[in-house]
Amino acid sequence: MSGRHWGLVALIFFVFYLLPLPGWLPALVYLGLYAWLEEGRIGLALLASAFFLVPMGERALYLDSFTLALRESLVLWGASLAISGLESGRPLYLAPLFFVGLVLRPEGSTLALGLWVWLVYVYAVQVREALRAEARARLVVLAFTLLLGLFAVAIGPIHFSLPHPNAGVAGQAAAPNGLASTPSPSNAGGQGPALGQGPVRVYLPAWLPQLMLFLGIVGLVSFLLLARQNPGQARTTFRRRRDGLWSLVLGLLGLAFWLFATLIWRPDIPGHAVFAPPRPAVTLTEQAPGETLAEEKPAQPMDVPKKAQPMPPFWPIAALFLFLAAYLAWRWRSAEGKGGGEKRASEPPGAPPRPVPPAPGRVRAAYRRFLRAARRVTLRKAVETPREYAHRFARARSELAEAAFRLTELYEPVRYGGEADLAHAEEAELLAEEIERRLR
Amino acid sequence: MIEGWYRRVAENVARVMVGVEETTRLLLAALVAEGHVLLDDVPGTGKTMLARSVAKSLGLDFKRVQFTPDLLPSDLTGLNVWRHDHFEFLPGPIFTQVLLADEINRATPKTQSALLEAMAERQVTVDGETRRLEAPFFVIATQNPVEMEGTFPLPEAQLDRFLVRLKMGYPEAEAELEILRRTRREHPLFGLGAVSSAEEVREVQAALKEIRVDDEVAAYVVGLARATREAEGVALGASPRAAIGLERVARALAAFAGRAFVVPDDVKTAARAVLPHRLVLEPEARLEGLTAERVVEGVLERVPVPAEPEA
């Protein structure tokens, strides 16, 4: 198995872990559609997944449904970026997924803060350059940041309290780490199934997850907007190879720490708390309107009646995830096969043997992205040379002529000259990204 | 190295010839690829002038032979004459480095075939004795496609030995005006100096072997040659020798462009010069107006180019 396939396994595991069980089906729909429809149709895939998500909520719980949809969208956006990153061999794109995961799991707040700082470092140059390059971007980012920040404060911290019509223990069932900090507006007033039926530990101050959420959304939105405006900027952040390596090492350390914290630390098992030592915890109980929300009690181990939990169809959905993983792996293999020397079934017996071309590298991958994006303008004919196609494309989109010619110029030595593509891979990817962005 | 040499020679030739840059490029490509050129056009379009300009620019020995029906093979190759007490070989004009065979189709097939051995083997056999021709040996033959009375069309075997066939065409009005200006006083050919040498040409020819041809591009070359054999209206398609020549010219064009590898565009450009004169069309197809050039264009529009799959 190649590194990309291991990455795929990690990705599927990650999505499994991040989402509450009822969110798996929409996630599966989303990822399946994303893989099927290919990049550029994220909106459609999200809509479809939302369609599967909405019936799970009850009418009185729109806000909780919405926050779940928001969380799920963030995870899926991160997942789609990760898929793109794996497909194009850019592990940096995995970073947003981990970041999203940390936002959704605020018990890893210490680590989240560290990673957030790292991301700020990574994208600081990008933000600065984008703002400098385009004044409009500044206003857009500012407006969205303020808006979403206010929204984040308004809806309260994220928690895994999927409103389930069938269970009063939905809060426990969907919150494997048993975290809840402050009640959300929907359950604070006692409407609907309350978050945290029964005692639930709170290890973190209420403001910390809120702050994390706010910072996370600010960071994500800024990144998303700027990446859409000029995706190439993210690449130029690492002008020096050493910076890229440091970032990668930091990211891997963060991931390892996060995995340790979330997989080994179990708050429902006494003595396993990593981020906060066992101490008297604030206990939340279901409250009638007007009553005090919390009282100090000694910490008690959480006793979740597991048999009473609703049982979503775990195995069928898990099997579907595995099927999806196999499908994606097959797609990549077949994509490699197209670039490789698979014998074509339609070849006549007398045809000369087709030589095995070299494995596609980053420049060739960038050129394929250009072809995919340029398909909207004009298709490349099979009898056209890359130069002929570049000329035809340039006639149709003269503003992209220079980028198309340069990308073709970088592609030819790799494709026909047997030259290693390391030297110009960065530039080719930037050009492909620029063309993709301007044709979007 | 080859790129610099090409620029130098082409610029020098351009001091005499106006508006024939592409023809010059292909002609020099044939020279570097160790082939021979057939210039096929009406009189007065500069065929002889181009050959002489190239020969002078390269600093090569140049001879011109006007082919006529009464030209004998020995007029070309030379002959042994009795001198006092022994035979002495008097070399013919073929013992040169650039031979201009003017109106080659006016000579008899016997004389034309005398060129065969020289062009293919780069050697001449007279009275059972074989003599090597000094490298580089480059034949530029011209023929007039209009006045066909009293001519002997070159047989297919002979045509196949010309690496490329080029057509000069009439110059553009502006270029023609420039030609008038240049030839008003003294013809620029007289003042044209050499910018290369036989030794350098040999080095360039040797360096051409270093130009890389990707396996898939080579397969494309073969695919084009094979496709001409299956094309409609073609009685005889391109030979394996044509495929070899196509690859060599493509290499030369790549080298002229400063590349160390061949791209499909080189092959396409070369195909238009290398393939058409080797095709023999069926008489019916010819009567219907099919030309070898159109067959080659059709083949280029059919054979897929090795490139990334369409997304």
Side-chain angles (χ1 to χ4, degrees):
Chain A
M1 281 210 346
S2 69
R4 294 203 309 175
H5 293 108
W6 283 115
L8 182 65
V9 171
L11 172 68
I12 298 296
F13 164 76
F14 207 75
V15 173
F16 252 92
Y17 186 75
L18 280 179
L19 291 175
L21 198 55
W24 286 8
L25 189 60
L28 185 71
V29 170
Y30 169 79
L31 288 175
L33 280 174
Y34 180 83
W36 183 49
L37 298 172
E38 296 192 355
E39 293 176 65
R41 293 173 176 83
I42 296 176
L44 182 60
L46 273 176
L47 270 179
S49 68
F51 177 77
F52 276 79
L53 187 66
V54 166
M56 293 186 178
E58 283 189 335
R59 208 174 248 190
L61 302 169
Y62 277 136
L63 190 57
D64 276 357
S65 295
F66 185 73
T67 53
L68 179 61
L70 178 67
R71 289 202 308 273
E72 180 138 334
S73 299
L74 289 174
V75 173
L76 295 178
W77 172 72
S80 58
L81 268 183
I83 290 178
S84 302
L86 289 169
E87 278 187 335
S88 57
R90 283 175 295 185
L92 186 66
Y93 272 22
L94 288 169
L97 181 65
F98 301 140
F99 185 43
V100 169
L102 290 166
V103 170
L104 292 174
R105 294 271 178 175
E107 70 271 18
S109 56
T110 309
L111 178 63
L113 197 61
L115 266 190
W116 194 83
V117 171
W118 169 63
L119 279 174
V120 167
Y121 159 73
V122 167
Y123 297 115
V125 178
Q126 175 196 352
V127 171
R128 198 178 64 226
E129 289 183 5
L131 291 181
R132 196 180 290 163
E134 200 170 341
R136 258 190 320 179
R138 191 184 311 165
L139 292 174
V140 172
V141 171
L142 191 65
F144 269 82
T145 304
L146 285 174
L147 193 67
L148 281 166
L150 289 172
F151 172 74
V153 172
I155 65 171
I158 284 178
H159 51 74
F160 287 115
S161 65
L162 177 72
H164 199 286
N166 197 26
V169 291
Q172 292 98 325
N177 286 351
L179 177 84
S181 48
T182 57
S184 71
S186 63
N187 56 30
Q191 296 172 6
L195 163 68
Q197 295 252 357
V200 177
R201 291 178 177 183
V202 175
Y203 292 131
L204 302 169
W207 56 267
L208 190 55
Q210 261 183 328
L211 178 67
M212 291 310 303
L213 174 65
F214 177 76
L215 294 178
I217 289 179
V218 169
L220 282 171
V221 170
S222 305
F223 170 71
L224 185 60
L225 289 172
L226 292 171
R228 282 184 66 84
Q229 286 200 9
N230 193 354
Q233 293 291 340
R235 306 284 310 160
T236 55
T237 306
F238 296 125
R239 285 213 175 88
R240 287 184 301 171
R241 183 178 166 76
R242 198 173 53 183
D243 291 349
L245 284 175
W246 271 115
S247 300
L248 192 63
V249 168
L250 280 175
L252 288 173
L253 281 176
L255 175 65
F257 185 65
W258 179 82
L259 285 174
F260 169 77
T262 52
L263 294 180
I264 299 175
W265 173 54
R266 297 296 304 273
D268 53 333
I269 300 172
H272 277 72
V274 169
F275 295 114
R279 61 178 176 79
V282 177
T283 304
L284 298 181
T285 53
E286 190 175 7
Q287 303 296 328
E291 283 187 9
T292 308
L293 284 175
E295 61 179 356
E296 291 288 331
K297 281 184 183 177
Q300 297 290 328
M302 192 166 62
D303 183 21
V304 179
K306 291 191 175 176
K307 285 184 181 175
Q309 292 181 32
M311 291 297 291
F314 175 85
W315 289 112
I317 294 180
L320 284 174
F321 264 109
L322 287 175
F323 174 76
L324 175 66
Y327 170 68
L328 285 172
W330 172 78
R331 266 175 57 96
W332 286 348
R333 278 181 70 97
S334 59
E336 283 167 3
K338 276 181 195 170
E342 283 184 359
K343 183 81 178 169
R344 295 177 194 176
S346 58
E347 277 183 0
R354 285 194 166 272
V356 180
R362 285 169 65 189
V363 172
R364 287 180 67 176
Y367 187 76
R368 277 201 297 273
R369 283 169 58 195
F370 158 61
L371 287 181
R372 205 155 41 217
R375 199 161 45 174
R376 295 169 199 166
V377 179
T378 174
L379 265 174
R380 190 187 81 80
K381 297 175 194 164
V383 296
E384 251 177 341
T385 67
R387 284 182 192 205
E388 288 170 341
Y389 180 60
H391 276 98
R392 201 156 57 79
F393 176 79
R395 279 198 295 275
R397 295 296 297 262
S398 55
E399 77 276 12
L400 292 173
E402 199 179 328
F405 285 135
R406 179 65 184 148
L407 186 53
T408 305
E409 202 179 315
L410 295 177
Y411 166 73
E412 282 181 343
V414 174
R415 184 68 175 78
Y416 305 113
E419 290 178 16
D421 70 348
L422 296 174
H424 300 290
E426 197 92 354
E427 188 184 354
E429 283 165 357
L430 285 174
L431 289 165
E433 280 170 3
E434 185 193 343
I435 292 171
E436 277 176 340
R437 181 173 55 83
R438 294 176 72 173
L439 289 179
R440 207 171 281 153
Chain B
M1 172 211 180
I2 302 179
E3 183 192 11
W5 172 87
Y6 161 70
R7 282 191 183 165
R8 201 168 357 113
V9 175
E11 280 168 15
N12 205 51
V13 171
R15 291 171 59 193
V16 177
M17 304 300 298
V18 183
V20 289
E21 290 78 13
E22 185 60 14
T23 310
T24 308
R25 186 166 77 110
L26 287 164
L27 189 141
L28 290 172
L31 167 70
V32 171
E34 299 180 53
H36 308 284
V37 173
L38 179 62
L39 285 174
D40 193 4
D41 220 324
V42 292
T45 48
K47 300 187 292 288
T48 308
M49 196 58 61
L50 177 63
R52 292 181 67 181
S53 307
V54 168
K56 281 195 91 169
S57 298
L58 295 173
L60 300 177
D61 186 26
F62 173 79
K63 286 199 174 70
R64 173 186 173 175
V65 180
Q66 185 66 46
F67 277 49
T68 53
D70 58 352
L71 188 76
L72 296 173
S74 58
D75 296 335
L76 203 60
T77 60
L79 69 167
N80 286 306
V81 293
W82 183 252
R83 287 272 172 88
H84 310 298
D85 57 346
H86 69 285
F87 279 104
E88 186 180 318
F89 181 67
L90 289 182
I94 205 166
F95 287 90
T96 185
Q97 288 173 316
V98 177
L99 175 70
L100 175 61
D102 222 354
E103 297 196 86
I104 190 174
N105 56 341
R106 296 211 172 272
T108 59
K110 190 178 179 182
T111 308
Q112 288 173 0
S113 66
L115 264 178
L116 275 178
E117 186 187 7
M119 288 170 65
E121 312 292 335
R122 286 174 162 76
Q123 63 184 28
V124 174
T125 304
V126 178
D127 294 338
E129 194 176 343
T130 301
R131 291 179 171 82
R132 297 289 305 171
L133 295 169
E134 189 188 351
F137 175 66
F138 184 42
V139 174
I140 303 174
T142 70
Q143 66 175 4
N144 179 358
V146 179
E147 289 178 35
M148 300 300 285
E149 292 85 8
T151 62
F152 303 90
L154 290 170
E156 281 73 38
Q158 184 93 353
L159 280 172
D160 202 31
R161 278 166 171 75
F162 285 102
L163 186 55
V164 297
R165 182 177 67 176
L166 305 174
K167 294 192 175 185
M168 303 284 291
Y170 287 115
E172 299 290 325
E174 200 175 325
E176 206 163 350
L177 196 63
E178 178 63 23
I179 292 169
L180 290 184
R181 274 196 212 107
R182 288 189 187 187
T183 52
R184 225 167 255 163
R185 292 183 181 172
E186 188 183 37
H187 199 286
L189 185 65
F190 298 129
L192 196 67
V195 292
S196 183
S197 64
E199 182 60 33
E200 194 178 17
V201 171
R202 283 193 288 271
E203 283 173 13
V204 167
Q205 286 177 336
L208 193 68
K209 293 177 179 66
E210 304 302 319
I211 302 297
R212 183 182 195 272
V213 182
D214 183 72
D215 287 347
E216 280 193 283
V217 176
Y220 179 56
V221 169
V222 172
L224 289 177
R226 293 178 70 90
T228 61
R229 295 168 211 160
E230 293 150 12
E232 203 175 338
V234 175
L236 198 63
S239 63
R241 183 189 287 150
I244 294 169
L246 182 54
E247 190 195 277
R248 277 160 49 183
V249 174
R251 275 183 178 179
L253 293 177
F256 289 174
R259 273 181 276 107
F261 56 89
V262 172
V263 296
D265 303 83
D266 300 323
V267 178
K268 279 192 166 183
T269 306
R272 294 184 175 102
V274 172
L275 295 181
H277 66 282
R278 300 167 197 262
L279 305 185
V280 178
L281 303 183
E282 289 169 354
E284 300 86 357
R286 212 165 41 228
L287 286 172
E288 284 170 9
L290 186 69
T291 62
E293 284 78 9
R294 275 178 53 192
V295 171
V296 171
E297 286 302 326
V299 164
L300 291 174
E301 286 300 313
R302 270 205 315 280
V303 179
V305 168
E308 294 305 302
E310 299 91 83

